[in-house]
Amino acid sequence: MTSQGSAATWSAPNSSARAAHSAALGAAFAADEDPTALERAAAVAKSVCSEAFSVVAGETIQLHGGIGITWEHDAHRYFKRAHGAGELFGAPAAHRARLAAGLGLTSH
């Protein structure tokens, strides 16, 4: 793979990780500075961070190929954790639905 191909492959995971970092910082600042905004900021952070974890873990498996899903490399552990965390803490779509409902953007 060329360096241009590598850059294209990692642009989505890198963007996802940066968005997750910003969302997590936003939630942390809300907890410290504006507790009334914490519920909304936490829902955003949960959605964005969970999605980023899944994207980065999936791309790591793709990058490493067959070894990424064996015991020879740790990539499979992150992939499994990403999907397990989604089940344990709620899928990104569930957090976005709760956020939309809180903003009055649903038709329910």
Side-chain angles (χ1 to χ4, degrees):
M1 184 184 303
T2 66
S3 62
Q4 185 178 12
S6 295
T9 300
W10 281 102
S11 65
N14 188 32
S15 297
S16 296
R18 287 175 185 249
H21 183 250
S22 294
L25 284 177
F29 286 134
D32 190 40
E33 300 290 328
D34 185 10
T36 60
L38 179 57
E39 185 176 351
R40 184 179 300 164
V44 169
K46 287 176 186 178
S47 173
V48 175
C49 291
S50 180
E51 183 104 20
F53 192 15
S54 292
V55 167
V56 172
E59 288 296 324
T60 301
I61 294 289
Q62 290 294 318
L63 179 73
H64 287 86
I67 198 169
I69 56 171
T70 67
W71 290 104
E72 300 293 322
H73 197 278
D74 289 338
H76 73 281
R77 293 181 182 171
Y78 297 113
F79 186 75
K80 290 174 185 174
R81 281 185 198 151
H83 292 282
E87 293 295 320
L88 183 62
F89 301 118
H95 295 298
R96 286 191 293 268
R98 189 181 67 179
L99 182 62
L103 294 171
L105 299 175
T106 59
S107 60
H108 292 68

